[in-house]
Amino acid sequence: MAAFPEISKIEYEGPDSKNPFAFRHYNPTEMVEGKSMADHFRFSVVYWHTFRGGGADPFGPGCARRPWMLADGTVNDAIERVGMAFEFMEKLGNPYYAFHDRDVAPEGDSLAETNKNLDAVVAALKEQQERTGIKLLWGTANLFSNPRYVHGASTSPNSDAFAFAAAQVKKALEVTLELGGEGYTFWGGREGYQNLYNTDMKREFDHLAKFLHMAVDYAKEIGFTGQFYIEPKPKEPTKHQYDSDAAACINFLRAYDLDQHLKLNLETNHATLAGHSMHHEMEYAGSQGFLGSIDANTGDELLGWDTDQFPTSYYLTAQCMLSLLKYGGFTTGGVNFDAKVRRESMEPDDLFHAHIGGMDAFAQGLKIAAAIRADGELDQMVKDRYRSWDSGVGAEIEGGKHDFKSLEAYMLEKGDVTPCESGRQELFENIVNRYVG
Ligand code: XLS
Ligand code: NI
Ligand code: NI
């Protein structure tokens, strides 16, 4: 059964198109900086929001009308949903998707039955991947919905929760390998705390690290060579998540000898919850060699929670693309739309509008970033701002030729910091606006 009989393949029609079911900026074959747009973004659709989200909020149940909202949640329903999901993605033209184990298949009464359910749906996913050429960007395990994880999974005070989570990730890694997944993501789930009086934080961090080492070891054992990611988020569902932002994650990875094995999967709304911009998180991760993949979405300036909206701002996407191009682009990662339509957007078409808008916003962001880079004016201005480091005392300090004593002698002789120049923030902003506007 066709889920979207009225909609045909979304095509690129150019910036003047008024067809709501066409791309105005995303032209997969268009070359930018020597690479096609398709290869720059490696767009990915998420199973959990797009094919399982119904729009429930704390004040009411989901009211979305979706072709795959089938009656009783059986494995057969799940398999039927796979066909519809791939119909959506084929029409949209995204080359990748991502899922949690529990998004695609229902839990059974035992771990063994749950694994069997998953195998049945994975066979259907594999068939559809082969039919369409759509690939798995990354797999992951849902270690947060089931009440057994109420206190966390690998950081639970109950060692059985750790053990169950280990069994679950073992299976999730096997199916990710089976589907040729290019990565595997750990998002914190309930790994964090609500109150420090009842929490042994050090022990929980040690357990989290042990868990990740076990995953790395098992991947090696079964021959899974995809990239592991950790996804920072500062709060929700716990008051304080352990993987709170890029810097905290990188410190954790380095402290526990995991830095060779994991990169970051950065999410826009998580960055803003942490009090950062996505641009900041991408620059920080990129500069430290940890920029792996991005969960593309956006928050709402007036709301303080993870609203996971589709990105539409050209400033946001241009900033993402400036950082991404600067650090060499994706190798294993991609632009993964971890985003959901609003509860009020209950019609099936809304899923197309949301993804088309997000893909177009990124394509326009790429064009803006590439133009800024091609002109080089901004880069030159930044370079000029730091020119005192290119010669004289600056170059000597960078070259390791100074210590406190020699610098004191230098300053006693010179007298003061000269010249002291403007940062010219407003001029920089005006220049960026030339490209965005
Ligand atoms: C939740 C996270 C989640 C991960 C995958 O806030 O963004 O969706 O991306 O577990
Ligand atoms: Ni995410
Ligand atoms: Ni989120």
Side-chain angles (χ1 to χ4, degrees):
M1 182 188 92
F4 300 95
E6 322 272 88
I7 293 174
S8 39
K9 176 119 180 46
I10 309 299
E11 304 285 356
Y12 171 70
E13 290 185 2
D16 295 332
S17 172
K18 292 203 167 130
N19 175 3
F21 293 100
F23 295 117
R24 295 191 310 117
H25 299 295
Y26 178 58
N27 181 7
T29 55
E30 188 174 326
M31 302 298 281
V32 179
E33 293 199 8
K35 202 156 112 178
S36 72
M37 281 200 182
D39 288 344
H40 272 287
F41 301 121
R42 298 157 54 88
F43 282 125
S44 165
V45 166
V46 303
Y47 217 91
W48 53 99
H49 288 312
T50 299
F51 307 123
R52 299 312 308 275
D57 70 12
F59 305 95
C63 53
R65 298 199 287 273
R66 300 287 182 252
W68 44 80
M69 288 208 160
L70 308 163
D72 49 6
T74 62
V75 174
N76 283 342
D77 286 350
I79 290 174
E80 209 176 319
R81 184 183 295 113
V82 169
M84 300 186 200
F86 275 79
E87 181 197 330
F88 174 85
M89 296 194 283
E90 242 189 317
K91 288 181 170 170
L92 183 67
N94 56 294
Y96 287 94
Y97 75 113
F99 68 83
H100 302 86
D101 48 3
R102 303 301 176 249
D103 306 333
V104 294
E107 281 202 62
D109 290 335
S110 65
L111 180 59
E113 194 186 316
T114 301
N115 286 348
K116 215 172 113 213
N117 291 351
L118 186 55
D119 284 335
V121 182
V122 164
L125 290 167
K126 194 169 182 182
E127 214 179 285
Q128 290 290 340
Q129 283 187 206
E130 278 161 10
R131 185 184 67 76
T132 59
I134 294 170
K135 295 185 276 186
L136 181 60
L137 187 68
W138 45 261
T140 188
N142 178 329
L143 304 178
F144 42 91
S145 295
N146 191 293
R148 73 174 68 89
Y149 298 128
V150 61
H151 304 294
S154 67
T155 67
S156 173
N158 185 333
S159 54
D160 273 358
F162 184 110
F164 202 104
Q168 205 179 316
V169 171
K170 173 179 176 290
K171 181 70 185 171
L173 282 169
E174 290 162 7
V175 307
T176 301
L177 174 66
E178 165 78 11
L179 293 173
E182 297 184 19
Y184 186 92
T185 292
F186 291 94
W187 162 63
R190 294 180 194 274
E191 316 292 25
Y193 65 82
Q194 302 287 16
N195 190 306
L196 280 176
Y197 293 148
N198 70 0
T199 302
D200 186 340
M201 188 199 263
K202 169 73 166 65
R203 209 162 180 186
E204 294 199 359
F205 265 115
D206 289 350
H207 293 166
L208 179 59
K210 195 172 280 295
F211 193 85
L212 295 178
H213 274 291
M214 284 183 189
V216 167
D217 290 346
Y218 189 64
K220 209 165 173 191
E221 199 178 320
I222 62 173
F224 173 68
T225 54
Q227 176 64 51
F228 278 112
Y229 305 106
I230 188 165
E231 182 179 323
K233 183 175 184 181
K235 49 194 165 192
E236 286 189 8
T238 71
K239 180 177 78 173
H240 193 295
Q241 300 278 113
Y242 288 142
D243 48 7
S244 52
D245 66 2
C249 285
I250 292 171
N251 176 62
F252 166 75
L253 295 175
R254 286 179 176 150
Y256 286 94
D257 209 15
L258 285 158
D259 48 314
Q260 296 308 307
H261 304 295
L262 287 97
K263 287 193 172 148
L264 300 188
N265 177 39
L266 297 166
E267 180 167 321
T268 322
N269 206 164
H270 299 178
T272 48
L273 286 178
H276 305 305
S277 62
M278 184 61 162
H279 199 188
H280 167 94
E281 290 289 82
M282 290 187 70
E283 276 297 314
Y284 188 80
S287 65
Q288 299 294 313
F290 284 83
L291 183 52
S293 197
I294 66 172
D295 272 6
N297 63 20
T298 192
D300 184 299
E301 277 171 23
L302 302 181
L303 301 175
W305 62 89
D306 198 16
T307 58
D308 284 346
Q309 291 166 228
F310 278 82
T312 55
S313 157
Y314 294 158
Y315 285 105
L316 169 66
T317 56
Q319 288 168 3
C320 289
M321 295 316 294
L322 274 173
S323 290
L324 194 65
L325 293 173
K326 179 169 166 186
Y327 295 107
F330 294 124
T331 47
T332 55
V335 173
N336 180 50
F337 287 112
D338 190 355
K340 59 184 180 222
V341 295
R342 299 304 85 195
R343 184 170 190 261
E344 299 81 358
S345 306
M346 78 271 277
E347 295 186 35
D349 289 6
D350 291 314
L351 294 176
F352 278 97
H353 297 311
H355 286 88
I356 290 169
M359 289 159 85
D360 265 346
F362 264 90
Q364 181 67 348
L366 170 64
K367 290 189 215 163
I368 293 166
I372 291 175
R373 282 159 58 85
D375 284 0
E377 188 177 347
L378 220 57
D379 272 351
Q380 192 51 50
M381 285 166 63
V382 175
K383 217 170 165 300
D384 272 0
R385 201 168 169 235
Y386 289 84
R387 70 185 182 282
S388 71
W389 291 93
D390 295 335
S391 60
V393 73
E396 289 164 18
I397 295 171
E398 283 193 350
K401 299 203 176 85
H402 275 287
D403 57 19
F404 274 8
K405 281 186 291 181
S406 64
L407 290 174
E408 182 191 48
Y410 166 76
M411 237 34 250
L412 285 170
E413 161 93 33
K414 182 161 188 188
D416 210 339
V417 176
T418 51
C420 194
E421 295 174 342
S422 166
R424 303 234 186 277
Q425 178 176 327
E426 296 76 9
L427 174 60
F428 275 82
E429 288 167 343
N430 293 350
I431 291 173
V432 168
N433 267 4
R434 258 194 243 152
Y435 299 90
V436 177

